[in-house]
Amino acid sequence: MASIEDRVAYADRVAGVWATRYRIAPITGRIAGYLYVCEPGPPTIDELATTLQASRTAIVNGVQALESRGLVRRTRAAGERADRIAIVFDEARGFDAAPYREAAVIAEEGLALLASESVEQRALLERTASLNAFLAERLPVLLDEWRRAEARR
């Protein structure tokens, strides 16, 4: 059984990755990391503040940031006075092809502007359009492949 110290250390590692990769406040990453491994769960705002040794305000702000991204949900059982915070798993998160399609279209529009320009001038936009079109095509396929692999487990 993992100790609370081990769980908080894990939350700190998640915070470091999320702060670097997603440019979010470290406390927001700590909250998410802890929610993945907390036991028992889901905790209240006050329980998170105590465990993570952070102010209630910092926890509320972090939870709101995670909520706005659809990464956590609040629940409240009948008779409870405090919300409980739970991490949400959305298997399709990160596999939305729409932003990549949009980026490919925008890059193609830029290429149309540069139709008579040099190859060197067009190269960056060509690669950008190509990569984004590729990702828009492949992400839904990858998600389906993962779903099939999960179904076999």
Side-chain angles (χ1 to χ4, degrees):
M1 178 96 149
S3 70
I4 191 69
E5 292 81 12
D6 292 337
R7 294 170 200 269
V8 171
Y10 174 80
D12 288 339
R13 288 192 299 280
V14 170
V17 170
W18 283 31
T20 302
R21 182 168 296 153
Y22 306 119
R23 302 205 188 286
I24 63 168
I27 189 61
T28 304
R30 288 184 83 214
I31 293 166
Y34 184 71
L35 290 174
Y36 277 113
V37 297
C38 67
E39 185 67 36
T44 65
I45 297 281
D46 289 336
E47 290 167 345
L48 285 168
T50 299
T51 301
L52 298 177
Q53 299 179 357
S55 72
R56 190 175 195 293
T57 300
I59 298 296
V60 167
N61 290 339
V63 167
Q64 288 172 342
L66 292 168
E67 263 183 318
S68 72
R69 291 172 171 87
L71 298 173
V72 300
R73 73 173 182 283
R74 295 177 190 241
T75 58
R76 185 180 296 189
E80 282 193 331
R81 293 181 167 233
D83 290 339
R84 297 205 168 268
I85 313 302
I87 199 85
V88 174
F89 177 72
D90 177 3
E91 68 184 31
R93 181 173 304 289
F95 286 90
D96 183 6
Y100 297 100
R101 266 195 297 284
E102 181 180 26
V105 167
I106 290 170
E108 291 289 343
E109 289 172 8
L111 284 169
L113 287 175
L114 301 177
S116 62
E117 303 294 327
S118 69
V119 171
E120 294 81 17
Q121 183 70 29
R122 297 173 45 87
L124 178 61
L125 279 174
E126 286 172 348
R127 294 194 72 197
T128 300
S130 174
L131 175 60
N132 282 285
F134 174 82
L135 290 171
E137 178 184 311
R138 292 294 301 151
L139 285 174
V141 174
L142 288 172
L143 180 58
D144 287 341
E145 287 176 16
W146 177 80
R147 286 176 175 154
R148 285 192 301 275
E150 280 293 295
R152 290 190 299 268
R153 289 178 78 188

